Amino acid sequence: MSRQSTRSTDSRKVSQELFTLTYGAMVAQLIKDYESDDEVNKQLDKMGYNIGVRMVEDFLARSNVGRCHDFRETADVIAKQGFKMYLGISPAITNWSAAGDEFSLIVESNPLTDFVEIPEKHGNLYYSNILCGVLRGALEMVQMEVKAWFTQDSLRGDNTTEIRLKFIKRLEDALPAGEE
Amino acid sequence: MAEEAMFEFLHMELVSYIYRSVENKDQDQCVSKLEHLGYRIGQSLIERFTKDTPRFKDDLDIMKFLCKDFWTALYKKQVDNLRTNHQGVYVLQDNRFKLIQQMATGKQYLEYAPKYLALPCGLIRGALANLGINSIVTAEVTTMPACKFQIVLQKT
């Protein structure tokens, strides 16, 4: 009996670990392919963008949220539903800018970085940079152009991990020429 | 429950990246790159997974573990069919393999399936390697999304 219950929690853990290990293997491959940490960061962002563009559809299908009316609502949905659903964590939303177009997500425990240590020579690497790309790609599909970047990263020695998200502009659907 | 989706998305993008990052003439290297990545992942994964599991009795026991517990943990279902010739060759058949399930049903996109099976082959090979078995794992798809993994155990 008890063996069975440990199996089910094991199973979920293994799912999470499969993802973590795959991500680690991928970053290792990227580091081998590219010489500079900046290039790797850029590639991670690009890959995150590709993932985010598809993931937002999956998210909307699973969560059934309606349209967000302002950026604060968007922030709430991202932190409380998006991150919760896919990574099982709930980052805190803080540091709103005066104009209400910029905020920070504080991530306490990042599942991507289980078992990870970054050696000294890769000090410029933002290991979880894929998250910035995912946010950028997902929000672009719902008509928001944003900029996402890491301001603190616990893998680099900071106290916590902080992602800053800035709203740039609303994207209008571009109609193909001749269909106006 | 949406956590499996994360792995699927990541895997798709990983395959895409590996193919993007090589010249046209080196495309065949991609499958082996992906397989090597899968190998590393499989090794680590099986270590974590079988931490508290009692010792396996024999090869067949290991294969059964692979088909039931390991497969369920990775793909949320068991292998549908396990065949063996009792001489070191095992064929695992999964009629709805998770990673290619969303792509097609039937014969469409058949030529793309191997790209997405390279990493899972490596996963199996890595898992077996850390359980003490050397093997060669190949996959074949005749009808999407069913696929067969053939494992040939190497006698030391």
Side-chain angles (χ1 to χ4, degrees):
Chain A
M1 269 309 144
S2 65
R3 189 185 161 85
Q4 243 174 352
S5 64
T6 46
R7 270 284 172 259
S8 61
T9 43
D10 262 354
S11 178
R12 203 159 171 275
K13 219 167 47 117
V14 174
S15 219
Q16 183 75 285
E17 288 183 7
L18 173 62
F19 173 65
T20 305
L21 290 169
T22 307
Y23 186 69
M26 187 174 86
V27 177
Q29 180 71 38
L30 281 169
I31 293 184
K32 241 194 324 189
D33 290 342
Y34 293 96
E35 280 129 26
S36 79
D37 291 341
D38 275 330
E39 266 304 310
V40 177
N41 288 339
K42 266 209 290 245
Q43 273 301 314
L44 282 173
D45 185 80
K46 183 160 169 218
M47 294 175 79
Y49 176 82
N50 290 340
I51 293 180
V53 156
R54 297 188 183 94
M55 189 183 278
V56 70
E57 308 242 352
D58 186 83
F59 172 69
L60 291 172
R62 283 183 209 259
S63 68
N64 226 351
V65 292
R67 195 182 275 278
C68 289
H69 294 104
D70 59 22
F71 204 47
R72 281 181 189 265
E73 240 185 281
T74 311
D76 265 343
V77 170
I78 292 176
K80 300 201 179 81
Q81 298 196 34
F83 270 86
K84 186 98 186 107
M85 188 183 285
Y86 291 107
L87 294 175
I89 54 177
S90 287
I93 305 174
T94 58
N95 286 350
W96 277 99
S97 66
D101 64 350
E102 224 177 290
F103 66 93
S104 289
L105 287 161
I106 311 280
V107 177
E108 301 263 305
S109 72
N110 186 355
L112 290 176
T113 60
D114 286 342
F115 329 128
V116 177
E117 246 178 46
I118 303 196
E120 297 244 333
K121 61 178 172 166
H122 291 293
N124 272 332
L125 180 70
Y126 280 114
Y127 184 80
S128 313
N129 211 33
I130 207 166
L131 293 177
C132 296
V134 171
L135 288 169
R136 192 167 62 88
L139 288 172
E140 186 171 310
M141 289 297 112
V142 288
Q143 258 66 52
M144 278 184 256
E145 185 180 318
V146 299
K147 199 154 140 2
W149 69 100
F150 275 89
T151 42
Q152 290 188 74
D153 192 353
S154 44
L155 275 184
R156 284 164 74 152
D158 302 316
N159 294 334
T160 65
T161 305
E162 182 180 339
I163 304 177
R164 197 130 181 91
L165 210 58
K166 181 180 166 74
F167 177 78
I168 309 284
K169 66 176 196 278
R170 187 177 199 79
L171 298 165
E172 299 299 328
D173 272 333
L175 290 172
E179 275 195 28
E180 287 283 353
Chain B
M1 52 197 114
E3 279 117 12
E4 313 102 62
M6 284 300 283
F7 173 65
E8 283 180 56
F9 281 117
L10 190 63
H11 179 239
M12 279 196 282
E13 188 51 36
L14 185 52
V15 172
S16 186
Y17 165 73
I18 297 276
Y19 276 84
R20 263 201 315 261
S21 65
V22 297
E23 313 287 314
N24 266 336
K25 58 180 169 47
D26 295 327
Q27 295 275 316
D28 5 319
Q29 288 179 8
C30 294
V31 169
S32 98
K33 263 193 190 181
L34 283 164
E35 210 267 350
H36 272 110
L37 282 173
Y39 182 77
R40 264 301 285 127
I41 299 170
Q43 280 185 310
S44 313
L45 209 55
I46 200 77
E47 271 177 30
R48 308 274 308 165
F49 198 28
T50 56
K51 216 164 39 141
D52 302 315
T53 319
R55 192 187 280 269
F56 294 105
K57 292 201 290 287
D58 57 15
D59 289 348
L60 189 58
D61 211 28
I62 293 184
M63 297 311 290
K64 284 201 221 157
F65 173 79
L66 214 65
C67 293
K68 292 203 200 133
D69 299 313
F70 192 62
W71 219 254
T72 312
L74 293 183
Y75 309 118
K76 300 290 168 293
K77 65 186 284 289
Q78 294 187 4
V79 164
D80 293 307
N81 201 332
L82 169 65
R83 281 204 222 93
T84 175
N85 68 356
H86 292 291
Q87 275 161 14
V89 182
Y90 295 85
V91 178
L92 275 59
Q93 181 164 340
D94 192 332
N95 290 330
R96 262 183 32 238
F97 189 57
K98 193 132 174 288
L99 300 180
I100 54 176
Q101 194 185 337
Q102 313 281 30
M103 277 186 227
T105 315
K107 302 281 180 190
Q108 199 182 21
Y109 298 127
L110 209 55
E111 64 274 21
Y112 295 104
K115 295 186 194 180
Y116 295 88
L117 296 174
L119 198 129
C121 282
L123 276 174
I124 297 174
R125 191 167 71 90
L128 287 174
N130 263 19
L131 290 174
I133 302 179
N134 285 330
S135 56
I136 297 181
V137 184
T138 50
E140 84 172 90
V141 184
T142 39
T143 313
M144 300 278 266
C147 69
K148 293 201 188 118
F149 291 90
Q150 181 178 24
I151 305 176
V152 180
L153 304 189
Q154 311 283 285
K155 293 291 170 221
T156 40

